[in-house]
Amino acid sequence: MNSQTSLIAPCGLPPALIARGLVKRFKTGRTHIEVLKSVDFEALHGEVTMVMGPSGSGKSTLIAALSGLLKPDCGQVSAMGEDLWSYRPSKIDRFRLDHCGFIFQGFNLFPALTALQQVEIILKYKGFSRSDAREKAATALTEVGLEMRMNSRPAEMSGGEKQRVAIARAIAKDPQLLFADEPTSALDGENGQVVIKLLQRAAKSFGAAVICVTHDPRLESYADRVIHIEDGRILDDRRVSTGAAPADHSHNQPASAHSERIRA
Ligand code: ADP
Ligand code: MG
C-alpha cells in the first residue's frame, strides 16, 4: 500500500476518502482537455481539508469525482472504505444520500419551500418519518442559528442565511463526508466566516471529513490541511496548525471547535 494510505485521523479512524490516480478529460470540439491529471487525494475524519486553486484549475471537477457525481476516466475513489466507482449509478446515489452532504456557491435551495421544508425534504427522502424529519430539521436549523427563520423562504433571506440553510440541510443527516464547493464566494467576509466556522464545527463535533474547495485565501486559516491545485495537478499538500482561527477574527466566537458541539 502507498504510504499515504496509512494516514490516521485524530479520532483513530482510517481516511474517510482516498483517491488514487484520478484523471478526467473533457472533449471540446475535436480535442480533449485533461482537467485532472492523475490526482491523489485523502481526507480524514474530523478535519477540514481545503483545496485551493485558481478558477479553472479543476477544483469542481475534483469534488465531483470524489463524491460520486462525475465518473473519472481513470483512477479510484475509496469512500468510507467503499470502492465508489465500482458501483452501479443507483448505489452511488444511495451512498451520497447516506454519507455525503453538499454545499454549493449558489445555495441550491427550492424557491417555494421554507427553511424548515428545505431540510425536512431531504430527511424524508432518506427515510425518516415525518415527525423525526421535522425534529431533526429544526435541530439542524437551530445549530446554524436560524431558529427564527424556520418559516422563511429563500427570497426572504440574505445570502448568508441561505447558505446557513444549505449547511443545515447538509449536516442534518450527520454525513461523514461533507463537500463544499466555493461555499463563501457569494458572501461578504463576515458571512463567509460564519459559514467556514460552521463547516469547521461539523468536522470537530461529529467527525465529518470536510472537503472545501475555494479560491478564497481568507479561508486557509480555518483548514487543518491545505492542498493547492493548479492545472489539474496537486502542487502541494500541507498540514496547518489544527484549524485555529486567525487572530483578526477574535471579535467573533473563538474557534474552540474541539470542545464545541453542534449536535446534542
Ligand atoms: P474550477 O472549479 O477550479 O474553477 P473546473 O473543475 O470547474 O475548475 O473546470 C476545470 C476546467 O475544465 C475548466 O477549463 C473548464 O472549462 C473545464 N470543464 C469543466 N467542466 C467541463 C465540461 N463539462 N465540459 C468541458 N469542459 C469542462
Ligand atoms: Mg469550480
Side-chain angles (χ1 to χ4, degrees):
M1 270 266 155
N2 184 312
S3 63
Q4 286 171 295
T5 60
S6 62
L7 272 174
I8 300 290
C11 54
L13 292 171
L17 196 63
I18 304 170
R20 290 288 172 258
L22 292 183
V23 173
K24 182 70 192 173
R25 299 180 195 99
F26 291 114
K27 196 167 190 298
T28 52
R30 286 190 192 165
T31 55
H32 281 86
I33 54 162
E34 202 164 65
V35 173
L36 298 178
K37 297 170 177 162
S38 195
V39 169
D40 294 339
F41 181 91
E42 304 85 29
L44 301 185
H45 289 283
E47 287 196 349
V48 176
T49 300
M50 201 77 80
V51 180
M52 316 205 62
S55 183
S57 54
K59 303 183 298 300
S60 295
T61 306
L62 176 62
I63 226 171
L66 294 173
S67 62
L69 288 168
L70 184 71
K71 194 171 170 49
D73 295 306
C74 305
Q76 276 194 320
V77 175
S78 166
M80 314 285 297
E82 304 194 43
D83 182 2
L84 195 59
W85 289 112
S86 70
Y87 291 156
R88 61 182 188 278
S90 61
K91 199 165 173 195
I92 296 177
D93 290 346
R94 185 72 221 184
F95 180 88
R96 274 203 309 274
L97 186 63
D98 287 342
H99 298 295
C100 304
F102 291 90
I103 296 143
F104 299 101
Q105 175 178 353
F107 321 128
N108 291 22
L109 301 178
F110 297 104
L113 301 187
T114 65
L116 190 62
Q117 290 166 336
Q118 312 269 355
V119 185
E120 249 182 319
I121 196 170
I122 207 89
L123 293 168
K124 284 189 205 153
Y125 190 56
K126 186 164 157 42
F128 285 100
S129 69
R130 182 183 275 263
S131 60
D132 284 354
R134 176 145 296 206
E135 194 185 320
K136 273 180 95 65
T139 303
L141 285 163
T142 304
E143 284 167 352
V144 300
L146 289 181
E147 57 275 33
M148 307 302 284
R149 296 304 239 154
M150 303 246 188
N151 297 314
S152 301
R153 291 186 168 76
E156 300 155 351
M157 288 187 272
S158 69
E161 287 170 335
K162 282 188 269 202
Q163 196 58 306
R164 281 191 276 158
V165 174
I167 293 177
R169 181 179 59 185
I171 65 172
K173 55 181 182 166
D174 297 320
Q176 285 302 297
L177 297 168
L178 197 49
F179 296 97
D181 191 347
E182 307 274 6
T184 64
S185 293
L187 305 177
D188 61 34
E190 200 172 326
N191 279 300
Q193 258 185 56
V194 170
V195 161
I196 191 67
K197 284 183 179 180
L198 287 169
L199 295 180
Q200 197 182 43
R201 284 167 65 183
K204 305 305 170 193
S205 62
F206 61 95
V210 176
I211 295 113
C212 177
V213 312
T214 183
H215 64 259
D216 184 350
R218 290 173 302 182
L219 302 190
E220 198 167 323
S221 48
Y222 293 93
D224 297 289
R225 187 152 155 235
V226 179
I227 291 172
H228 282 102
I229 184 169
E230 221 169 287
D231 193 24
R233 286 197 180 85
I234 305 282
L235 292 188
D236 61 84
D237 177 346
R238 73 188 163 81
R239 194 157 282 283
V240 289
S241 58
T242 55
D248 62 340
H249 300 315
S250 54
H251 59 283
N252 274 325
Q253 288 274 324
S256 55
H258 295 275
S259 56
E260 247 175 308
R261 288 191 57 81
I262 60 173
R263 191 160 301 279

